[in-house]
């Protein structure tokens, strides 16, 4: 979160970057699962309860199912309110003006940008409660940027020569070429091959081999850390499927022109840990950016640059 005006202003104005993932929603300082459960009455458990417009929402208990357009339902709007609340709470702000900085997959930006912006700004003033605190937010604007590219915007000076950027999220994998620090718009691709595809393959493999439905939490631990406190046969089965998924990532990258001898590869997003733990690649020519919040931080950086330039990207 970046504060625009003087901290002593009556109502502070801030820029908040949000990475609306299908697996997790990220801000510059927070990350939580993109699950939303709606109740007409106050639920029993309230640790992540958001109250808005007469309804009750439990946020962060599951992941969001992949949809081609994020505006199809109200879930991402509720996740936006929860994310804004968490960033404001860090500064003990409960009344603020907020300029949103968000993004879409590379190949969706041109077609969906205006609609997604209108979706995020559907209400100028919003009063809601999250985790027991009341928030009063006035949305002053929103900028929509290409997903993935934002994660490396601060270090773009390093991208000399030919580079491929791969953003592996829960629902999609986005690919972009950045040549001599310039993104190549004609070489942007989106594949529905996010980490959820790996999760589905692992569940199916375990069910086929052992007849067992394994909790996703255990599978996620193996994906993130490469190991878990489970029997060797289950661990090996999960690892083998993760290796197959990693090989599939590189196969798709080669189809889009990836050549490790001629270019460097930069990997961002939650899927980077799968490549790190199970992929086969040249560590000297592949950089995996581990910061899960890097894209949200990049959105804030790009929004601030745009403001300084008077609205120019």
């Amino acid at each position: 979160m970046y504060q625009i005006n003087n901290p002593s202003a009556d109502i502070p104005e801030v820029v908040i970057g949000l990475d609306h993932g299908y697996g997790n929603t990220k801000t510059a300082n927070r990350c939580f699962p993109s699950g939303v459960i709606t109740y007409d009455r106050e639920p029993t458990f309230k640790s992540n309860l958001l109250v808005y417009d007469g309804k009750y929402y439990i946020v962060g208990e599951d992941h969001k199912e992949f949809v081609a357009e994020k505006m199809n339902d109200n879930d991402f709007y509720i996740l936006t309110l929860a994310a804004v609340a968490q960033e404001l709470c860090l500064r003990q702000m409960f009344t603020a003006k907020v300029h949103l900085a968000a993004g879409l997959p590379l190949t969706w930006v041109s077609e969906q940008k205006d609609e997604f912006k209108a979706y995020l700004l559907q209400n100028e003033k919003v009063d809601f409660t999250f985790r027991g605190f009341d928030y009063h937010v006035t949305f002053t604007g929103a900028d929509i940027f290409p997903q993935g590219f934002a994660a490396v915007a601060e270090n773009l000076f390093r991208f000399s020569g030919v580079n491929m950027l791969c953003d592996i999220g829960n629902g999609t994998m986005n690919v972009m070429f950045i040549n001599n620090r310039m993104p190549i718009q004609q070489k942007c691709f989106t594949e529905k091959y996010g980490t959820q595809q790996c999760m589905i393959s692992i569940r199916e493999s375990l069910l086929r081999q052992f007849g067992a439905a394994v909790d996703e939490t255990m599978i996620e631990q193996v994906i993130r850390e490469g190991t878990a406190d489970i029997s060797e046969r289950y661990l090996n089965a999960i690892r083998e499927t993760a290796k197959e998924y990693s090989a599939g990532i590189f196969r798709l990258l080669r189809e889009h022109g990836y050549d490790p001898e001629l270019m460097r590869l930069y990997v961002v997003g939650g899927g980077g840990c799968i490549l790190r733990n199970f992929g086969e690649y040249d560590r000297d020519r592949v950089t995996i950016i581990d910061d899960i919040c890097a894209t949200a931080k990049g959105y804030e950086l790009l929004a601030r640059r745009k403001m300084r330039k008077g609205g120019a990207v």
Side-chain angles (χ1 to χ4, degrees):
M1 184 173 74
Y2 169 76
Q3 191 152 339
I4 298 173
N5 54 16
N6 192 307
S8 63
D10 290 341
I11 300 180
E13 184 169 4
V14 297
V15 176
I16 296 180
L18 288 94
D19 182 5
H20 295 89
Y22 295 101
N24 296 288
T25 298
K26 285 83 65 180
T27 65
N29 300 286
R30 289 289 184 264
C31 174
F32 58 94
S34 296
V36 176
I37 304 173
T38 307
Y39 297 89
D40 291 324
R41 298 180 179 178
E42 186 172 320
T44 303
F45 299 104
K46 310 170 187 177
S47 58
N48 289 301
L49 178 65
L50 188 148
V51 184
Y52 165 67
D53 198 24
K55 290 196 174 183
Y56 302 86
Y57 303 90
I58 295 294
V59 176
E61 289 195 356
D62 204 346
H63 300 304
K64 173 73 175 169
E65 183 180 351
F66 175 82
V67 289
E69 292 190 4
K70 294 183 175 181
M71 299 76 70
N72 280 352
D73 57 36
N74 211 40
D75 286 358
F76 280 110
Y77 188 73
I78 297 302
L79 292 168
T80 297
L81 297 183
V84 166
Q86 292 188 54
E87 281 290 313
L88 292 178
C89 190
L90 283 174
R91 302 272 188 97
Q92 291 296 292
M93 294 180 182
F94 302 99
T95 299
K97 297 177 181 178
V98 175
H99 184 100
L100 297 173
L104 288 168
L106 299 170
T107 56
W108 296 2
V109 174
S110 59
E111 293 185 2
Q112 298 185 19
K113 177 174 65 175
D114 292 339
E115 189 177 356
F116 191 46
K117 179 177 179 179
Y119 172 85
L120 295 176
L121 299 178
Q122 58 185 271
N123 298 298
E124 180 184 2
K125 295 185 177 182
V126 183
D127 298 320
F128 63 97
T129 301
F130 184 61
R131 293 177 176 170
F133 292 100
D134 294 330
Y135 293 89
H136 311 281
V137 175
T138 299
F139 288 111
T140 59
D143 292 308
I144 311 299
F145 300 104
Q147 197 170 296
F149 174 72
V152 299
E154 189 173 12
N155 299 305
L156 204 57
F157 64 92
R158 298 178 182 172
F159 283 64
S160 59
V162 179
N163 306 271
M164 176 178 274
L165 173 65
C166 178
D167 178 9
I168 308 172
N170 192 67
T172 60
M173 180 181 82
N174 294 280
V175 179
M176 168 187 278
F177 277 85
I178 302 176
N179 298 348
N180 289 322
R181 295 171 289 278
M182 293 293 293
I184 309 302
Q185 188 169 348
Q186 293 78 15
K187 288 190 174 183
C188 295
F189 312 96
T190 297
E191 298 277 356
K192 189 184 176 185
Y193 201 67
T195 58
Q196 184 62 19
Q197 299 300 312
C198 181
M199 183 71 69
I200 292 171
S201 296
I202 290 173
R203 289 204 309 262
E204 290 177 347
S205 175
L206 296 177
L207 189 60
R208 184 175 62 253
Q209 292 185 58
F210 310 118
V214 179
D215 192 284
E216 282 195 7
T217 303
M218 187 61 67
I219 299 174
E220 287 178 354
Q221 183 179 345
V222 178
I223 287 175
R224 286 195 309 269
E225 303 175 12
T227 188
D229 185 17
I230 56 177
S231 71
E232 198 67 21
R233 64 173 187 154
Y234 277 95
L235 188 57
N236 288 337
I238 294 173
R239 286 172 172 168
E240 284 303 312
T241 305
K243 287 179 181 178
E244 292 172 5
Y245 171 78
S246 297
I249 291 288
F250 283 105
R251 183 175 62 252
L252 286 172
L253 294 181
R254 288 192 297 272
E255 290 177 2
H256 290 304
Y258 174 58
D259 187 331
E261 295 187 83
L262 298 177
M263 62 192 67
R264 292 189 178 274
L265 174 65
Y266 293 82
V267 181
V268 300
C273 62
I274 301 180
L275 294 190
R276 180 183 297 282
N277 292 326
F278 308 105
E280 296 182 2
Y281 57 90
D282 184 350
R283 260 67 176 173
D284 292 330
R285 297 191 61 79
V286 177
T287 301
I288 296 177
I289 299 173
D290 292 317
D291 185 358
I292 194 69
C293 298
T295 295
K297 293 174 182 176
Y299 291 153
E300 290 188 7
L301 174 68
L302 292 173
R304 286 156 52 192
R305 286 180 180 174
K306 186 175 180 180
M307 289 175 178
R308 286 198 297 267
K309 293 179 180 179
V313 178

